[in-house]
């Protein structure tokens, strides 16, 4: 694990509180009281100070939750949690229950964080989980964080990358049904996704990433035995184009083999064609070490790789490992960008 030194300014990371009825407030408090995380970055929470105080009480932790007017006023000290307080949640908001109020608040936290990042006031965004049903109940009909951030930053197309210590996976399609995903996949989208993943790895310090591209069908179609030629029609043209440009791209590969090979280190990145093809193997590796990275934005964004976990919210048992790792990766990428600039 790489620690950032204090010989250079620590990157400022906006930490959005996510759905206040879920475990977001708890994992944020636990992570920001972790001395390791404090060595990565200068975090500023965009959320509700009162809810973070409630979360600290639930956890039995002593946290100095301080409301600040802006990033410049956020002083970094052990035990201190700086919050740009939007004050959107009622004091009696139940833990673990779907709430349109909490869904709207999660939307607003992210909107403010995106504005700060676009202005350059923060160098990265790290998000606690939101609840899609609560978001929709509040009238914000977006599939999730990835699409919301694309909307807030004016970007037409971004990609979701999942990162674990052993494996990185980028997705061609994400929050749509399987039939719709197969229909949406086409060579241009596959090519752009691979390019985004390649660029992200190069920026993170992998100069010549080796990338494996999954097929759609079992055995990647096995030369037309399975499916209707989707690999040849939708994937091969993109792979051939990028290989001709000099990229180290392999595929289409049978997904079961591709993830096995990636897990043992043969590939720096796997390109998954649809949501569960990529998410399943990553989550088997362990949610506590997984990080969600949005690739293609004009700002850096990482996230925990778990949901709001309503079933354990407010019980003081939520683990913060994924949040600490998300902060680390946000800071690492932001520091690389700062050094280039």
């Amino acid at each position: 694990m790489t620690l950032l030194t204090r010989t250079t300014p620590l990157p400022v990371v906006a930490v959005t509180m996510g759905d206040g009825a879920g475990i977001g407030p708890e994992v944020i408090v636990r992570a920001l009281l972790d001395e390791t995380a404090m060595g990565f970055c200068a975090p500023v929470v965009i959320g509700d100070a009162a809810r973070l105080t409630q979360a600290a009480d639930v956890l039995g932790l002593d946290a100095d939750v301080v409301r600040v007017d802006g990033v410049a006023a956020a002083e970094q000290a052990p035990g201190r949690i700086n919050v740009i307080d939007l004050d959107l949640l009622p004091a009696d908001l139940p833990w673990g229950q779907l709430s349109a109020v909490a869904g709207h608040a999660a939307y607003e936290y992210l909107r403010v964080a995106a504005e700060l990042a676009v202005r350059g006031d923060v160098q990265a965004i790290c998000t606690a989980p939101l609840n899609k049903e609560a978001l929709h109940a509040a009238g914000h009909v977006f599939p999730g964080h990835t699409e919301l951030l694309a909307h807030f930053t004016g970007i037409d197309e971004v990609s979701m990358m999942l990162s674990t210590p052993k494996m990185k996976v980028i997705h061609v399609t994400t929050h749509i049904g399987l039939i719709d995903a197969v229909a949406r996949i086409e060579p241009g989208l596959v090519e752009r996704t691979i390019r985004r993943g390649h660029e992200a790895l190069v920026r993170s310090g992998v100069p010549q990433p080796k990338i494996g591209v999954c097929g759609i069908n079992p055995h990647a179609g096995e030369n037309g035995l399975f499916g209707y030629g989707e690999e040849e029609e939708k994937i091969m043209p993109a792979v051939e184009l990028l290989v001709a440009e000099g990229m180290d791209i392999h595929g289409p590969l049978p997904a079961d083999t591709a993830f096995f090979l990636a897990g043992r280190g043969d590939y720096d990145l796997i390109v998954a064609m649809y949501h569960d093809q990529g998410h399943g193997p990553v989550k088997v590796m362990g949610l506590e070490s997984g990080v969600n990275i949005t690739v293609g934005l004009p700002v850096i964004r990482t996230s925990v790789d778990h949901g709001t976990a309503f079933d354990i919210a407010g019980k003081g048992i939520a683990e913060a490992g994924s949040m600490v790792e998300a902060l680390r990766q946000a800071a690492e990428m932001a520091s690389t960008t700062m050094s280039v600039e």
Side-chain angles (χ1 to χ4, degrees):
M1 181 176 292
T2 301
L3 287 177
L4 304 173
T5 67
R6 291 186 180 274
T7 57
T8 57
L10 291 177
V12 180
V13 178
V15 184
T16 59
M17 203 176 75
D19 192 303
I23 63 172
E26 294 170 79
V27 298
I28 287 174
V29 168
R30 202 185 284 278
L32 297 192
L33 295 182
D34 187 313
E35 292 183 2
T36 303
M38 292 296 293
F40 301 146
C41 61
V44 180
V45 181
I46 317 300
D48 271 56
R51 192 60 164 182
L52 291 170
T53 300
Q54 291 177 349
D57 291 341
V58 163
L59 293 166
L61 297 174
D62 185 15
D64 183 17
V65 179
V66 180
R67 293 175 173 85
V68 295
D69 293 331
V71 173
E75 299 177 7
Q76 301 299 324
R80 174 175 170 133
I81 299 176
N82 296 290
V83 188
I84 296 177
D85 185 17
L86 301 193
D87 192 23
L88 295 172
L89 300 179
D92 60 351
L93 178 73
W95 294 101
Q97 294 185 26
L98 187 74
S99 165
V101 172
H104 174 67
Y107 174 92
E108 288 296 314
Y109 305 150
L110 195 65
R111 180 186 63 79
V112 171
E115 290 178 357
L116 291 171
V118 170
R119 287 204 306 262
D121 293 348
V122 302
Q123 282 70 61
I125 299 170
C126 183
T127 59
L130 56 71
N131 182 281
K132 296 177 182 65
E133 190 175 351
L135 185 70
H136 292 182
H140 307 298
V141 185
F142 291 86
H145 269 126
T146 303
E147 296 80 7
L148 264 176
L149 278 165
H151 168 70
F152 288 139
T153 57
I155 300 298
D156 292 332
E157 188 176 280
V158 295
S159 297
M160 176 189 294
M161 179 186 289
L162 302 181
S163 175
T164 74
K166 288 189 175 182
M167 184 188 305
K168 286 183 172 60
V169 181
I170 193 167
H171 293 68
V172 174
T173 65
T174 50
H175 296 118
I176 56 176
L178 184 55
I179 293 174
D180 296 329
V182 174
R184 181 173 296 184
I185 296 166
E186 49 87 19
L189 178 58
V190 174
E191 176 199 342
R192 294 190 300 273
T193 303
I194 297 172
R195 287 190 189 277
R196 281 190 286 268
H198 186 275
E199 180 184 355
L201 264 66
V202 170
R203 287 181 61 188
S204 69
V206 183
Q208 294 291 335
K210 184 176 181 180
I211 300 175
V213 181
C214 290
I216 297 172
N217 295 294
H219 300 219
E222 200 162 310
N223 299 316
L225 183 61
F226 304 115
Y228 299 92
E230 288 87 357
E231 282 74 20
E232 290 75 13
E233 174 190 348
K234 296 171 177 286
I235 301 173
M236 279 303 302
V239 171
E240 291 172 351
L241 174 65
L242 296 173
V243 168
E245 291 183 9
M247 292 188 190
D248 192 2
I249 313 294
H250 301 260
L253 304 171
D256 51 358
T257 304
F259 287 107
F260 166 74
L261 295 175
R264 74 179 190 186
D266 289 15
Y267 292 103
D268 299 301
L269 177 68
I270 292 294
V271 180
M273 291 296 127
Y274 52 90
H275 185 282
D276 284 13
Q277 186 182 60
H279 276 62
V282 168
K283 292 190 174 183
V284 168
M285 305 290 286
L287 285 174
E288 70 283 350
S289 61
V291 174
N292 184 329
I293 304 169
T294 304
V295 180
L297 291 171
V299 301
I300 293 166
R301 178 260 173 164
T302 66
S303 178
V304 295
D305 188 27
H306 59 70
T308 48
F310 279 171
D311 57 325
I312 63 169
K315 297 180 180 179
I317 59 175
E319 295 293 333
S322 184
M323 176 58 76
V324 172
E325 180 62 15
L327 286 166
R328 185 191 71 79
Q329 293 203 32
E332 187 175 83
M333 288 187 286
S335 295
T336 302
T337 301
M338 290 164 67
S339 66
V340 170
E341 294 173 349

